[in-house]
């Protein structure tokens, strides 16, 4: 079936760089490009009985198929029977799992400190008669409210607080209660964390962030073992039509080829920035899961292979944080994260997240580490005035 991981050409033992550059490539065809270009088609030639794989552009598209293979090979290397479905955005992917699995009268457990659109999803779920429980990511708080739940959504590391939970422990507990488990893998990327190997039923993510990494496309995906739950997600995509355009899908696939290089570079620099900020008197609440001593570090080290490119910290006041952001020269003031160009924002400007006024989320890009560290420390000093 399209969307199931093809393993031709990439052995499960390959390194992440090898896997990233080859992920999802079809068998070579003489005189054809290595990565076939985007297929723009609302419909496909289809005489006679309508058999697949390609009939109508809301259901399937060959450019998605290649991208779905690529993501599947990264999320679940060497695993048979794993399918990936791509969506128009991360929220389209997350919503597809929530709304395809839950019915009126069901209960769902969401992170209380997760992505800022989750409260909107909560209101919609409740409007449909679904009970929504929330608990914090840190200290595995969600484990306390699983009784009778149908679905558990985990976000680890959480955005923007960078708390981490023990995914395997929560997945085992959820399964013991008969609940399915979805993990939002946006921040880690599949090179940082493989939720299915940790016991999750679904890995869901925004591909808008570090997966594609250039800040120019929106994308989402769901990876899961084939079966009825995933078939329901596929039906939901068809019903809602939250599909990526072929151009976006192709750009995403092209971008994944550099994933290992970007992730290794950005994450190493994120650690360097965190180390530079550690011990600075102006900075409190510094968080980076890769930093030894961080409250997330121990559990993160057990389940993550890389720690992400996001660093967060708090400056004394809103004004101080704004002066800091304004003084940065190599860091764009923007929301979102994971791009090649560093970005930062004062998270409190959105409302919704339970963060102090001076809380800054910094997404570390691919600039030279010494340039970026120097810029951040200079802006910190200038923000004093
Ligand atoms: C950005 C983000 C989303 C939503 O993704 P979109 O592509 O913007 O729809 C979901 N979860 C997390 C953790 C995110 O950071």
């Amino acid at each position: 079936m399209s969307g199931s991981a093809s393993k031709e050409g990439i052995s499960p033992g390959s390194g992440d760089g090898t896997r990233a550059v080859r992920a999802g490539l079809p068998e070579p065809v003489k005189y054809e490009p290595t990565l076939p270009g985007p297929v723009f088609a609302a419909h496909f030639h289809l005489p006679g009985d309508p058999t697949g794989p390609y009939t109508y552009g809301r259901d399937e598209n060959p450019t998605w198929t290649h991208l779905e293979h690529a993501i599947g090979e990264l999320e679940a290397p060497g695993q048979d029977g794993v399918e990936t479905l791509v969506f128009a955005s991360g929220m389209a992917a997350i919503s597809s799992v929530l709304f395809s699995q839950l019915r009126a009268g069901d209960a769902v457990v969401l992170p209380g400190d997760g992505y800022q659109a989750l409260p909107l999803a909560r209101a919609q779920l409740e409007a449909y008669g679904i009970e929504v429980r929330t608990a914090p990511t840190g200290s595995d708080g969600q484990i306390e409210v699983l009784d009778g739940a149908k679905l558990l959504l985990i976000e680890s590391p959480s955005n923007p607080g960078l708390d981490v939970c023990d995914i395997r422990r929560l997945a085992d507990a959820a399964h013991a209660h008969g609940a399915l488990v979805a993990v939002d893998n946006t921040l880690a990327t599949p090179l940082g964390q493989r939720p299915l190997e940790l016991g999750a039923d679904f890995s869901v993510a925004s591909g808008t962030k570090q997966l594609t990494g250039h800040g120019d496309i929106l994308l989402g995906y769901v990876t899961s073992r084939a079966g009825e739950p995933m078939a329901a997600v596929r039906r939901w995509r068809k019903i809602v039509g939250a599909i990526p355009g072929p151009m976006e899908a192709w750009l995403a696939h092209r971008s994944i080829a550099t994933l290992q290089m970007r992730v290794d570079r950005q994450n190493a620099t994120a650690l360097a920035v965190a180390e530079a900020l550690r011990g600075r008197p102006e900075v409190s609440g510094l968080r980076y899961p890769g930093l030894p001593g961080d409250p997330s570090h121990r559990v993160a080290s057990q389940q993550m292979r890389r720690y992400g490119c996001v660093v967060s910290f708090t400056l004394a006041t809103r004004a101080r944080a704004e002066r800091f952001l304004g003084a940065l020269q190599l860091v764009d003031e923007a929301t979102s994260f994971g791009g090649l160009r560093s970005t930062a924002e004062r998270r409190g400007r959105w409302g919704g997240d339970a963060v102090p006024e001076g809380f800054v989320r910094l997404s570390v890009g691919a600039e030279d580490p010494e340039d970026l560290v120097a810029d951040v420390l200079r802006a910190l000093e200038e923000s004093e005035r």
Side-chain angles (χ1 to χ4, degrees):
M1 179 186 283
S2 71
S4 52
S6 104
K7 299 197 296 299
E8 279 96 48
I10 312 182
S11 87
S14 294
D16 288 332
T18 307
R19 197 175 288 119
V21 297
R22 299 214 64 86
L25 297 182
E27 286 297 301
V29 177
K30 197 171 183 182
Y31 307 130
E32 293 293 324
T34 309
L35 175 62
V39 174
F40 298 103
H43 55 82
F44 299 83
H45 284 298
L46 190 66
D49 288 336
T51 52
Y54 301 110
T55 57
Y56 186 61
R58 176 162 29 76
D59 299 344
E60 289 292 351
N61 174 293
T63 311
W64 304 349
T65 304
H66 298 315
L67 175 61
E68 288 170 345
H69 286 168
I71 294 170
E73 286 164 16
L74 299 175
E75 281 280 347
Q79 283 190 43
D80 282 323
V82 169
E83 289 182 19
T84 296
L85 293 167
V86 288
F87 286 83
S89 69
M91 278 316 295
I94 293 166
S95 298
S96 79
V97 170
L98 296 174
F99 290 100
S100 69
Q101 306 303 313
L102 297 165
R103 309 274 176 280
D106 286 343
V108 59
V109 178
L110 304 182
D113 50 353
Y115 183 63
Q116 59 171 354
L118 289 183
L120 294 173
R122 174 187 191 142
Q124 193 61 56
L125 289 161
E126 287 173 344
Y128 290 154
I130 295 156
E131 182 197 340
V132 180
R133 305 173 190 162
T134 60
T137 300
S139 312
D140 299 348
Q142 290 175 295
I143 213 162
E144 307 294 335
V145 289
L146 287 172
D147 203 23
K150 177 87 187 299
L151 178 71
L152 165 67
L153 174 67
I154 290 169
E155 191 178 304
S156 181
S158 62
N159 170 26
L162 301 177
D163 275 329
V164 162
C165 62
D166 183 336
I167 294 175
R168 182 167 293 286
R169 177 171 179 242
L170 265 93
D172 287 349
H175 289 152
H177 282 94
L180 291 170
V181 179
V183 173
D184 185 328
N185 208 27
T186 303
L187 199 141
T189 84
L191 294 194
Q193 181 167 273
R194 296 178 190 151
L196 298 196
E197 289 179 5
L198 297 168
D201 300 288
F202 302 99
S203 182
V204 299
S206 169
T208 310
K209 315 290 169 58
Q210 204 175 15
L211 184 79
T212 61
H214 292 68
D216 50 13
I217 49 179
L218 281 101
L219 187 86
Y221 69 86
V222 178
T223 300
S224 177
R225 276 167 217 95
E228 180 43 37
M230 193 57 163
V233 175
R234 186 183 290 275
R235 283 195 298 277
W236 182 264
R237 183 176 72 174
K238 182 182 169 94
I239 295 166
V240 171
I243 53 167
M247 190 68 199
E248 282 74 11
W250 183 82
L251 280 170
H253 198 161
R254 187 186 197 270
S255 304
I256 285 174
T258 57
L259 181 63
Q260 183 264 344
M261 284 186 280
R262 289 185 283 106
V263 163
D264 277 357
R265 165 73 162 216
Q266 291 175 241
N267 295 12
T269 308
L271 179 61
V273 169
E275 280 168 345
L277 291 173
R278 180 167 55 184
R280 292 286 303 210
E282 313 92 323
V283 170
S284 66
L286 175 69
R287 295 301 303 269
Y288 181 65
L291 196 64
D294 184 275
S296 294
H297 186 65
R298 189 185 58 80
V299 178
S301 305
Q302 289 165 14
Q303 65 194 21
M304 298 184 77
R305 302 166 64 237
R306 296 173 171 86
Y307 299 104
C309 65
V310 179
V311 176
S312 65
F313 53 92
T314 301
L315 300 177
T317 61
R318 170 184 178 150
R320 177 93 202 240
E322 278 168 0
R323 286 200 302 277
F324 168 72
L325 293 169
L328 290 164
Q329 286 171 356
L330 297 179
V331 181
D332 294 330
E333 255 192 275
T335 193
S336 197
F337 60 86
L340 285 160
R341 287 173 280 274
S342 293
T343 57
E345 69 174 337
R346 198 180 63 79
R347 197 62 191 171
R349 66 182 173 161
W350 297 100
D353 292 326
V355 293
E357 285 287 344
F359 179 95
V360 173
R361 185 181 69 183
L362 172 62
S363 171
V364 173
E367 299 85 2
D368 288 302
E370 45 288 7
D371 293 343
L372 192 63
V373 168
D375 194 45
V376 167
L377 294 181
R378 185 194 44 73
L380 210 50
E381 266 152 37
E382 279 182 24
S383 68
E384 212 163 358
R385 281 160 242 151

